[in-house]
Amino acid sequence: MRLLVIGGTAFVGRTVVEDALTRGYEVTTVNRGRTGADVDGVKALRGDRSTDGGLRELEGLTFDAVVDPGGMVPAHVLRTARALVDAAPFYAFVSTTAVYQSWDTPHVDESAATWPGVADEDGDPADLTRLGVRKRGCELAVEQTYGPDSVIARAGMIVGPYDNVGQLPWWLTRIARGGRVLAPGNPDRGLQLIDARDLAAFVLDQVEARAGGVHNVVPDEPNTTMGQLVDDCVRATGADATPVWMDEGFLFSQGVQPWAELPLWIPDGPATAGFWSVSAVGATARGLRTRPFAESVEDTWAWLRTLDTAPTMPPGLDTRKEQRVLAEWETN
């Protein structure tokens, strides 16, 4: 298998490359050379798909398939797909469940309404305010160019080694400091989190089978809870940390922000009933396999401990604010 990976140096892309090399693929990567070191064993090319002519290094080359694990701007993905449609017969794109418009119904499946993306929309890839719209536009760019010879993997929240999103690493790093840890809402609230290695394996399995289609790539049911996540972080780090669970009404009264200050906390309510209840029946039928969540926690902590510098993470809850809220909780 001659595989081209767009990017291939960070998180999902790096994980795809490592899996592909393990399978014996001949792997070529193309990227700007700015995000991280190239994986040993690949043929590394330099290119910038945000510009016309930025993929000249690929001219004259052919591949069995392309994996695009990180496209964020539809116009860039459209340029890539058009440049490769005669050079590679199959295109795999990693999208996101954020393309769905509504989360008020459990078991959201691939037939649910999506945001109305545009295949040639341009813009700043760092602007996440239009994530769902733009990712849908990226999907359309692939579908319009490759048609049925493409697979769209709509991933949920991704965790695992090389994590550059920072949600799970934030919790691990906070809990590793020990002491009383502010913990949000109901500890039994279920979460659906997909390990990047399971996502990568699913995508490559579809590439090998030349199996097109659109799939939600998440565990088919919640694979952990907020309480289990915190407990797994305590076990993995070995920290002397004690979670202090607070109800959501109190947290709101203290100005604590879901997700932004406490990663992975989505408040219970009618509008979020389906957020952690996405259907993966299709992906499961296509062979999606997911590992125990505790393994993802342990391996992510092991990876974090190998780093010389801390990875980029969400700002999270300020230490002084956390201590103030904990003190206020004790007096109520």
Side-chain angles (χ1 to χ4, degrees):
M1 175 76 73
R2 292 167 300 155
L3 185 71
L4 174 66
V5 179
I6 311 299
T9 62
F11 203 15
V12 176
R14 193 174 193 89
T15 306
V16 167
V17 167
E18 290 187 349
D19 190 330
L21 291 171
T22 299
R23 296 176 186 225
Y25 294 4
E26 178 184 313
V27 181
T28 300
T29 60
V30 60
N31 54 61
R32 295 174 301 171
R34 299 178 186 174
T35 302
D38 296 302
V39 178
D40 291 340
V42 306
K43 178 181 180 181
L45 304 178
R46 294 291 175 251
D48 183 354
R49 62 174 170 178
S50 69
T51 64
D52 290 331
L55 297 175
R56 287 197 183 96
E57 289 274 352
L58 298 175
E59 291 179 1
L61 302 180
T62 59
F63 307 93
D64 295 306
V66 181
V67 175
D68 186 344
M72 298 288 286
V73 179
H76 300 177
V77 174
L78 184 62
R79 182 179 287 117
T80 305
R82 287 175 172 173
L84 293 167
V85 69
D86 294 325
F90 193 84
Y91 202 108
F93 181 72
V94 177
S95 187
T96 171
T97 55
V99 299
Y100 297 119
Q101 289 192 46
S102 176
W103 295 102
D104 58 0
T105 304
H107 311 301
V108 175
D109 65 18
E110 293 84 354
S111 68
T114 60
W115 294 106
V118 179
D120 60 356
E121 180 184 347
D122 210 337
D124 181 1
D127 178 12
L128 298 181
T129 61
R130 290 172 54 80
L131 175 64
V133 174
R134 284 193 172 169
K135 275 292 196 176
R136 179 57 185 147
C138 292
E139 293 181 359
L140 292 172
V142 174
E143 291 170 347
Q144 290 174 12
T145 308
Y146 272 84
D149 295 320
S150 63
V151 63
I152 307 296
R154 291 175 177 164
M157 178 51 59
I158 308 170
V159 297
Y162 309 129
D163 187 337
N164 62 0
V165 180
Q167 306 285 331
L168 178 57
W170 185 89
W171 279 106
L172 282 161
T173 303
R174 168 60 193 94
I175 287 171
R177 296 204 310 266
R180 295 189 307 157
V181 178
L182 192 159
N186 180 4
D188 294 327
R189 179 76 186 272
L191 308 176
Q192 278 179 306
L193 305 171
I194 184 76
D195 192 292
R197 294 166 292 183
D198 299 331
L199 170 60
F202 176 81
V203 169
L204 292 178
D205 287 348
Q206 307 318 299
V207 167
E208 288 182 359
R210 295 284 177 86
V214 179
H215 302 289
N216 294 332
V217 186
V218 296
D220 195 32
E221 59 184 17
N223 59 331
T224 189
T225 64
M226 201 69 200
Q228 289 170 342
L229 181 148
V230 170
D231 290 346
D232 285 340
C233 288
V234 171
R235 280 191 292 269
T237 60
D240 183 13
T242 302
V244 180
W245 293 95
M246 301 182 187
D247 67 70
E248 294 177 342
F250 175 79
L251 292 174
F252 287 134
S253 74
Q254 298 299 307
V256 179
Q257 298 298 313
W259 202 273
E261 290 188 308
L262 290 175
L264 303 177
W265 171 36
I266 295 294
D268 286 314
T272 60
F275 193 89
W276 297 119
S277 181
V278 178
S279 172
V281 171
T284 302
R286 286 286 187 90
L288 174 64
R289 302 172 299 278
T290 57
R291 69 196 64 215
F293 179 70
E295 181 180 326
S296 300
V297 175
E298 292 166 3
D299 292 349
T300 301
W301 178 241
W303 164 71
L304 284 170
R305 295 177 70 190
T306 68
L307 302 180
D308 295 327
T309 58
T312 301
M313 288 189 286
L317 188 62
D318 177 77
T319 300
R320 288 173 296 180
K321 183 173 182 179
E322 180 185 28
Q323 293 305 310
R324 177 183 63 76
V325 175
L326 285 165
E328 187 68 24
W329 176 257
E330 293 298 328
T331 63
N332 279 267

Coordinates of all heavy atoms in Angstrom, one line a residue, residues 63-125:
F63 N -0.4 7.2 -5.7 CA -0.6 6.6 -4.4 C -1.8 5.7 -4.5 O -2.6 5.8 -5.4 CB -0.8 7.6 -3.3 CG 0.3 8.6 -3.2 CD1 0.2 9.8 -3.9 CD2 1.5 8.4 -2.5 CE1 1.2 10.8 -3.8 CE2 2.5 9.3 -2.5 CZ 2.4 10.5 -3.1
D64 N -1.9 4.7 -3.6 CA -3.1 3.9 -3.6 C -4.2 4.6 -2.8 O -5.4 4.3 -3.1 CB -2.8 2.6 -2.9 CG -1.8 1.7 -3.7 OD1 -2.1 1.5 -4.9 OD2 -0.8 1.3 -3.1
A65 N -3.9 5.5 -1.9 CA -4.9 6.2 -1.1 C -4.3 7.4 -0.5 O -3.1 7.5 -0.3 CB -5.5 5.3 -0.1
V66 N -5.2 8.3 -0.1 CA -4.8 9.5 0.7 C -5.5 9.5 2.0 O -6.7 9.2 2.0 CB -5.2 10.8 -0.1 CG1 -4.7 12.1 0.7 CG2 -4.5 10.8 -1.5
V67 N -4.9 9.9 3.1 CA -5.5 10.1 4.3 C -5.3 11.6 4.7 O -4.2 12.0 4.8 CB -5.0 9.2 5.5 CG1 -5.7 9.6 6.8 CG2 -5.3 7.7 5.1
D68 N -6.4 12.3 5.0 CA -6.4 13.7 5.3 C -6.9 13.8 6.7 O -8.1 13.9 6.9 CB -7.2 14.5 4.3 CG -7.1 16.0 4.5 OD1 -6.7 16.4 5.6 OD2 -7.5 16.7 3.6
P69 N -6.1 13.8 7.8 CA -6.6 13.7 9.1 C -6.8 15.1 9.8 O -7.3 15.1 10.9 CB -5.4 13.0 9.8 CG -4.2 13.5 9.1 CD -4.6 13.7 7.7
G70 N -6.5 16.2 9.1 CA -6.6 17.4 9.8 C -7.1 18.6 9.1 O -7.0 19.8 9.5
G71 N -7.7 18.4 7.9 CA -8.2 19.5 7.1 C -9.2 20.3 7.8 O -10.2 19.8 8.4
M72 N -9.0 21.7 7.9 CA -9.9 22.6 8.6 C -10.6 23.6 7.7 O -11.6 24.2 8.1 CB -9.2 23.3 9.7 CG -8.6 22.4 10.8 SD -9.8 21.7 11.9 CE -10.2 23.1 12.9
V73 N -10.0 23.8 6.6 CA -10.6 24.9 5.7 C -11.0 24.2 4.4 O -10.2 23.6 3.7 CB -9.5 25.9 5.4 CG1 -10.0 27.0 4.4 CG2 -9.0 26.6 6.7
P74 N -12.3 24.3 4.0 CA -12.8 23.6 2.8 C -12.0 23.9 1.6 O -11.7 23.0 0.8 CB -14.2 24.2 2.7 CG -14.6 24.5 4.1 CD -13.4 25.0 4.8
A75 N -11.6 25.2 1.3 CA -10.9 25.5 0.1 C -9.6 24.8 0.0 O -9.1 24.4 -1.0 CB -10.7 27.0 0.0
H76 N -8.9 24.6 1.2 CA -7.6 23.8 1.2 C -7.8 22.4 0.9 O -7.1 21.8 0.2 CB -7.0 24.0 2.6 CG -6.7 25.4 3.0 ND1 -6.1 25.7 4.2 CD2 -6.8 26.6 2.3 CE1 -6.0 27.0 4.3 NE2 -6.4 27.6 3.1
V77 N -8.9 21.8 1.5 CA -9.2 20.4 1.2 C -9.6 20.2 -0.3 O -9.2 19.2 -0.9 CB -10.3 19.9 2.2 CG1 -10.7 18.5 1.8 CG2 -9.8 20.0 3.6
L78 N -10.4 21.1 -0.8 CA -10.8 21.0 -2.2 C -9.6 21.1 -3.1 O -9.5 20.3 -4.1 CB -11.8 22.2 -2.5 CG -12.4 22.2 -3.9 CD1 -13.2 20.9 -4.1 CD2 -13.2 23.5 -4.1
R79 N -8.7 22.0 -2.8 CA -7.4 22.1 -3.6 C -6.7 20.8 -3.5 O -6.1 20.3 -4.6 CB -6.6 23.3 -3.1 CG -5.3 23.5 -3.9 CD -4.5 24.7 -3.3 NE -5.2 25.9 -3.6 CZ -5.7 26.8 -2.7 NH1 -5.6 26.5 -1.4 NH2 -6.2 27.9 -3.1
T80 N -6.6 20.2 -2.4 CA -5.9 18.9 -2.2 C -6.5 17.8 -3.0 O -5.9 17.0 -3.7 CB -5.8 18.6 -0.7 OG1 -5.2 19.6 0.0 CG2 -4.9 17.3 -0.5
A81 N -7.8 17.7 -2.8 CA -8.6 16.6 -3.5 C -8.4 16.7 -5.0 O -8.2 15.7 -5.7 CB -10.0 16.6 -3.1
R82 N -8.6 17.9 -5.5 CA -8.5 18.1 -7.0 C -7.1 17.8 -7.5 O -6.9 17.3 -8.6 CB -8.9 19.5 -7.3 CG -10.4 19.8 -7.2 CD -10.7 21.2 -7.5 NE -12.2 21.4 -7.6 CZ -12.8 22.6 -7.7 NH1 -12.0 23.7 -7.7 NH2 -14.1 22.7 -7.8
A83 N -6.1 18.2 -6.7 CA -4.7 17.9 -7.1 C -4.3 16.4 -7.1 O -3.4 16.0 -7.8 CB -3.7 18.6 -6.1
L84 N -5.1 15.6 -6.3 CA -4.8 14.2 -6.2 C -5.7 13.2 -6.8 O -5.5 12.0 -6.9 CB -4.6 13.9 -4.7 CG -3.5 14.5 -3.9 CD1 -3.7 14.4 -2.4 CD2 -2.2 13.9 -4.4
V85 N -6.8 13.7 -7.3 CA -7.9 12.8 -7.8 C -7.4 11.9 -8.9 O -7.9 10.7 -9.0 CB -9.1 13.6 -8.3 CG1 -8.9 14.4 -9.5 CG2 -10.4 12.7 -8.4
D86 N -6.4 12.3 -9.7 CA -5.9 11.4 -10.8 C -4.7 10.7 -10.3 O -4.2 9.8 -11.1 CB -5.6 12.3 -12.0 CG -6.8 12.9 -12.7 OD1 -7.8 12.2 -12.7 OD2 -6.7 14.0 -13.2
A87 N -4.2 11.0 -9.1 CA -3.0 10.3 -8.6 C -3.2 9.3 -7.6 O -2.4 8.4 -7.3 CB -2.0 11.4 -8.0
A88 N -4.4 9.3 -7.0 CA -4.8 8.4 -5.9 C -6.3 8.1 -6.0 O -7.1 9.0 -6.1 CB -4.5 8.9 -4.5
P89 N -6.7 6.8 -6.1 CA -8.1 6.5 -6.3 C -9.0 6.5 -5.1 O -10.2 6.4 -5.3 CB -8.0 5.0 -6.8 CG -6.8 4.5 -6.2 CD -5.8 5.6 -6.1
F90 N -8.5 6.8 -3.9 CA -9.3 6.7 -2.7 C -8.9 7.8 -1.7 O -7.7 8.0 -1.6 CB -9.2 5.4 -2.0 CG -10.3 5.1 -1.0 CD1 -11.5 4.6 -1.4 CD2 -10.0 5.3 0.3 CE1 -12.5 4.4 -0.4 CE2 -11.0 5.1 1.3 CZ -12.2 4.6 0.9
Y91 N -9.8 8.5 -1.1 CA -9.5 9.6 -0.2 C -10.3 9.3 1.1 O -11.5 9.1 1.2 CB -10.0 10.9 -0.8 CG -9.4 12.2 -0.3 CD1 -8.5 12.9 -1.1 CD2 -9.7 12.7 1.0 CE1 -7.9 14.1 -0.6 CE2 -9.1 13.8 1.5 CZ -8.2 14.5 0.6 OH -7.7 15.7 1.1
A92 N -9.5 9.4 2.2 CA -10.1 9.2 3.6 C -9.9 10.6 4.3 O -8.8 11.1 4.5 CB -9.4 8.1 4.3
F93 N -11.0 11.1 4.8 CA -11.0 12.4 5.5 C -11.5 12.2 6.9 O -12.6 11.6 7.1 CB -11.9 13.4 4.8 CG -11.9 14.8 5.4 CD1 -10.8 15.6 5.4 CD2 -13.0 15.2 6.1 CE1 -10.8 16.8 6.0 CE2 -13.0 16.5 6.7 CZ -11.9 17.3 6.7
V94 N -10.8 12.7 7.9 CA -11.2 12.7 9.3 C -12.0 14.0 9.6 O -11.4 15.1 9.6 CB -10.0 12.6 10.2 CG1 -10.5 12.6 11.7 CG2 -9.3 11.2 10.0
S95 N -13.2 13.9 9.8 CA -14.1 15.0 10.1 C -14.5 15.0 11.6 O -13.7 14.5 12.4 CB -15.4 15.0 9.3 OG -16.1 16.1 9.4
T96 N -15.6 15.5 12.0 CA -16.0 15.6 13.4 C -17.5 15.5 13.5 O -18.3 16.0 12.6 CB -15.5 16.9 14.0 OG1 -16.1 17.1 15.3 CG2 -15.9 18.1 13.1
T97 N -18.0 15.0 14.6 CA -19.4 15.0 14.9 C -19.9 16.5 15.1 O -21.2 16.7 15.2 CB -19.8 14.2 16.1 OG1 -19.0 14.6 17.2 CG2 -19.5 12.7 15.8
A98 N -19.1 17.4 15.2 CA -19.5 18.8 15.3 C -20.2 19.3 14.1 O -20.8 20.4 14.1 CB -18.3 19.8 15.6
V99 N -20.2 18.5 13.0 CA -21.0 18.9 11.8 C -22.5 18.9 12.0 O -23.2 19.5 11.3 CB -20.6 18.1 10.6 CG1 -19.1 18.2 10.2 CG2 -21.0 16.6 10.8
Y100 N -22.9 18.2 13.1 CA -24.4 18.1 13.3 C -24.9 19.4 14.0 O -24.2 19.9 14.9 CB -24.7 16.9 14.2 CG -24.3 15.6 13.5 CD1 -23.4 14.7 14.1 CD2 -24.9 15.2 12.3 CE1 -23.0 13.5 13.5 CE2 -24.6 14.0 11.7 CZ -23.6 13.2 12.2 OH -23.3 12.0 11.6
Q101 N -26.1 19.8 13.6 CA -26.6 21.0 14.1 C -27.2 21.0 15.5 O -27.2 21.9 16.2 CB -27.7 21.5 13.1 CG -27.2 22.0 11.8 CD -28.3 22.7 11.0 OE1 -29.0 23.6 11.5 NE2 -28.5 22.4 9.7
S102 N -27.8 19.8 15.8 CA -28.6 19.8 17.1 C -28.1 18.6 17.9 O -27.8 17.5 17.4 CB -30.1 19.6 16.8 OG -30.8 19.5 17.9
W103 N -28.1 18.8 19.2 CA -27.8 17.7 20.2 C -28.9 17.5 21.2 O -28.6 17.0 22.3 CB -26.5 18.1 20.9 CG -25.3 18.2 19.9 CD1 -24.8 19.3 19.4 CD2 -24.6 17.1 19.3 NE1 -23.8 19.0 18.5 CE2 -23.6 17.6 18.5 CE3 -24.7 15.7 19.5 CZ2 -22.8 16.8 17.7 CZ3 -23.9 14.9 18.8 CH2 -22.9 15.4 17.9
D104 N -30.1 17.8 20.8 CA -31.2 17.6 21.8 C -31.8 16.2 21.7 O -32.7 15.9 22.5 CB -32.3 18.7 21.5 CG -32.9 18.6 20.1 OD1 -32.4 17.8 19.3 OD2 -33.7 19.5 19.8
T105 N -31.3 15.3 20.8 CA -31.9 14.0 20.7 C -30.8 13.0 20.9 O -29.7 13.1 20.2 CB -32.5 13.8 19.3 OG1 -33.5 14.8 19.2 CG2 -33.2 12.4 19.2
P106 N -30.9 12.0 21.7 CA -29.9 10.9 21.8 C -29.8 10.1 20.6 O -30.7 10.1 19.7 CB -30.4 10.0 23.0 CG -31.4 10.9 23.7 CD -32.0 11.8 22.7
H107 N -28.7 9.4 20.5 CA -28.4 8.5 19.3 C -28.4 9.2 18.0 O -28.9 8.7 17.0 CB -29.4 7.3 19.3 CG -29.6 6.7 20.7 ND1 -28.6 6.0 21.3 CD2 -30.7 6.5 21.5 CE1 -29.0 5.6 22.5 NE2 -30.3 5.9 22.6
V108 N -27.7 10.3 17.9 CA -27.5 11.0 16.7 C -26.8 10.1 15.7 O -25.7 9.6 16.0 CB -26.7 12.3 16.9 CG1 -26.4 13.0 15.6 CG2 -27.5 13.3 17.9
D109 N -27.4 9.9 14.5 CA -26.7 9.1 13.5 C -26.4 9.9 12.3 O -26.6 11.1 12.2 CB -27.5 7.9 13.2 CG -28.8 8.2 12.5 OD1 -29.0 9.3 12.0 OD2 -29.7 7.3 12.5
E110 N -25.8 9.3 11.3 CA -25.3 10.0 10.1 C -26.4 10.6 9.3 O -26.1 11.5 8.4 CB -24.5 9.0 9.2 CG -23.2 8.5 9.9 CD -23.4 7.3 10.8 OE1 -24.6 6.9 11.1 OE2 -22.4 6.7 11.3
S111 N -27.6 10.3 9.5 CA -28.7 11.0 8.8 C -29.2 12.3 9.4 O -30.0 13.0 8.8 CB -29.9 10.0 8.7 OG -30.5 9.9 10.0
A112 N -28.6 12.7 10.6 CA -29.0 13.9 11.3 C -28.6 15.1 10.4 O -27.7 15.1 9.7 CB -28.4 13.9 12.6
A113 N -29.4 16.2 10.6 CA -29.1 17.4 9.9 C -27.7 18.0 10.2 O -27.3 18.0 11.4 CB -30.2 18.5 10.2
T114 N -27.0 18.4 9.2 CA -25.7 19.0 9.4 C -25.7 20.5 9.1 O -26.6 21.0 8.5 CB -24.6 18.3 8.5 OG1 -25.0 18.5 7.1 CG2 -24.5 16.8 8.8
W115 N -24.6 21.2 9.5 CA -24.5 22.6 9.1 C -24.3 22.7 7.6 O -23.7 21.8 7.0 CB -23.3 23.2 9.8 CG -23.5 23.2 11.3 CD1 -22.9 22.5 12.2 CD2 -24.3 24.1 12.0 NE1 -23.3 22.8 13.5 CE2 -24.2 23.8 13.4 CE3 -25.2 25.1 11.7 CZ2 -24.9 24.5 14.4 CZ3 -25.9 25.8 12.7 CH2 -25.7 25.5 14.0
P116 N -24.8 23.8 7.0 CA -24.7 23.9 5.5 C -23.3 24.4 5.1 O -23.2 25.6 4.8 CB -25.8 24.9 5.2 CG -25.9 25.8 6.5 CD -25.6 24.8 7.6
G117 N -22.4 23.5 5.0 CA -21.0 23.9 4.6 C -20.9 24.3 3.1 O -21.8 23.9 2.4
V118 N -19.8 24.9 2.8 CA -19.6 25.3 1.4 C -18.2 24.7 1.0 O -17.2 25.0 1.8 CB -19.6 26.8 1.2 CG1 -19.3 27.2 -0.2 CG2 -20.9 27.4 1.6
A119 N -18.1 24.0 -0.1 CA -16.9 23.3 -0.4 C -15.7 24.2 -0.7 O -14.5 23.7 -0.6 CB -17.1 22.4 -1.6
D120 N -15.9 25.4 -1.1 CA -14.7 26.3 -1.5 C -14.5 27.4 -0.5 O -13.8 28.4 -0.8 CB -14.9 26.8 -2.9 CG -16.1 27.6 -3.1 OD1 -16.9 27.7 -2.2 OD2 -16.3 28.1 -4.2
E121 N -15.1 27.3 0.7 CA -15.0 28.4 1.7 C -13.5 28.5 2.1 O -12.9 27.5 2.4 CB -15.8 28.2 2.9 CG -15.7 29.3 4.0 CD -16.5 29.0 5.3 OE1 -17.3 28.1 5.2 OE2 -16.2 29.7 6.3
D122 N -13.0 29.7 2.2 CA -11.6 29.9 2.6 C -11.6 30.6 4.0 O -12.7 31.0 4.5 CB -10.8 30.8 1.6 CG -9.3 30.5 1.6 OD1 -8.8 29.9 2.6 OD2 -8.7 30.8 0.6
G123 N -10.5 30.7 4.6 CA -10.4 31.4 5.9 C -9.2 30.9 6.8 O -8.4 30.1 6.3
D124 N -9.2 31.4 8.0 CA -8.1 31.1 8.9 C -8.4 29.7 9.6 O -9.4 29.6 10.2 CB -8.0 32.2 10.0 CG -6.9 31.9 11.0 OD1 -6.2 30.9 10.9 OD2 -6.8 32.8 11.9
P125 N -7.5 28.7 9.4 CA -7.8 27.4 10.0 C -7.8 27.4 11.6 O -8.3 26.5 12.2 CB -6.6 26.6 9.5 CG -5.5 27.5 9.1 CD -6.3 28.7 8.6

